[in-house]
Amino acid sequence: MAKRDIRIVGDPVLRTECDPIKDITPGVRALVEDLLENVNEEGRAGLAANQIGVSLRAFSWNIDGELGYILNPVITYLSEEKQSGDEGCLSVPDLWFPRERAAKAACEGIDLDGNKVVLEGDGIVARLIQHEVGHLDGALYIDGLEKNEKKKALRAIRANL
């Protein structure tokens, strides 16, 4: 396992759609170990593979002391009901902006043994699913901000670079 640097907004890997994992190789196993180790720090809820420079469809989570990971996640459910709240991102450090998301969400993928993994929930879990799968699709949470908030976010990002 290795401590990995978090890629910051402006790094092209964050804007590139991640490739599906086709085979469980030693490299994929090492990636999962790194994702779990690097998400297991104070203040971290989720970490997508491209945030540590690996363009593969995988993310880890650390919510209420529960560590987990999922390979090749696909969102299978988003509620029509919405939640609003400030959202932040390790790749957009120290900045939080109000972002509307589905109040409930679910995704499916696999684990290292090829077993089906289902992650579902509301609140922070729903936000995590949407946020991390967004990363794997090459998106950042700031992309979905309302127009005025997005302007504020882009100004703040430029000021922090």
Side-chain angles (χ1 to χ4, degrees), residues 57 73-78 105-108 129-131 133-134 137:
R57 293 191 75 80
V74 175
I75 292 178
T76 56
Y77 174 75
L78 295 173
C107 69
E108 293 181 4
I129 291 167
Q130 295 164 84
H131 184 109
V133 172
D137 292 338

Side-chain angles (χ1 to χ4, degrees), residues 86-159:
D86 284 349
E87 192 165 323
C89 179
L90 297 170
S91 294
V92 186
D94 304 319
L95 298 174
W96 293 77
F97 294 94
R99 170 76 197 260
E100 186 174 86
R101 298 277 193 180
K104 296 178 183 176
C107 69
E108 293 181 4
I110 60 170
D111 67 13
L112 288 170
D113 297 318
N115 299 314
K116 183 177 177 179
V117 173
V118 176
L119 178 62
E120 59 188 349
D122 57 8
I124 186 73
V125 174
R127 189 172 292 278
L128 167 101
I129 291 167
Q130 295 164 84
H131 184 109
E132 301 306 333
V133 172
H135 272 302
L136 302 178
D137 292 338
L140 293 170
Y141 85 99
I142 57 174
D143 299 339
L145 297 177
E146 290 185 15
K147 187 177 179 180
N148 288 337
E149 289 300 324
K150 189 171 185 177
K151 284 181 183 179
K152 287 181 198 174
L154 294 174
R155 276 194 295 270
I157 289 167
R158 282 191 295 274

Side-chain angles (χ1 to χ4, degrees), residues 65-87:
E66 178 192 340
L67 283 173
Y69 72 92
I70 188 168
L71 309 178
N72 296 330
V74 175
I75 292 178
T76 56
Y77 174 75
L78 295 173
S79 68
E80 289 184 26
E81 179 187 355
K82 302 295 182 191
Q83 64 171 312
S84 293
D86 284 349
E87 192 165 323

